[in-house]
């Protein structure tokens, strides 16, 4: 677990290679869909400054310009849904 006071706004992203983990998310997304809760998948080659990295995920502090929200179609590599 990362320190939320030290890294406010940090988020965890699955690596594109973590297929088995990404597949697990689909069941949770079905629950959100069933209850009318919106969600969006984002892919990024550079989601932010990495503060944690393992075989399946990274935890990042997003870049200050929030480029992921402006043009998510231009980036790929990690996934957050």
């Amino acid at each position: 677990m990362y320190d939320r006071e030290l890294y406010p706004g940090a988020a965890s992203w699955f690596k594109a290679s973590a297929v088995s983990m990404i597949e697990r998310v689909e069941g949770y997304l079905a629950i959100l869909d069933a209850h009318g809760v919106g969600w969006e998948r984002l892919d990024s080659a550079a989601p932010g400054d990495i503060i944690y990295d393992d075989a399946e995920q990274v935890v990042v502090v997003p870049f200050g310009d929030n480029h992921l929200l402006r043009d998510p179609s231009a980036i790929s590599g990690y996934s957050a849904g």
Side-chain angles (χ1 to χ4, degrees):
M1 181 65 97
Y2 56 90
D3 185 332
R4 292 183 186 273
E5 288 185 29
L6 186 58
Y7 300 109
S12 178
W13 291 67
F14 287 122
K15 293 181 176 181
S17 59
V19 175
S20 66
M21 298 302 292
I22 295 169
E23 287 173 347
R24 293 172 137 185
V25 173
E26 293 176 11
Y28 295 104
L29 299 179
I31 293 169
L32 293 176
D33 289 342
H35 293 279
V37 176
W39 58 272
E40 181 178 2
R41 176 181 172 153
L42 297 176
D43 295 306
S44 175
D49 292 318
I50 297 173
I51 59 173
Y52 175 82
D53 185 358
D54 68 25
E56 297 176 327
Q57 66 179 335
V58 292
V59 177
V60 303
V61 175
F63 296 122
D65 63 0
N66 291 321
H67 67 283
L68 299 175
L69 299 178
R70 288 202 318 265
D71 190 9
S73 65
I75 45 188
S76 64
Y78 299 100
S79 297

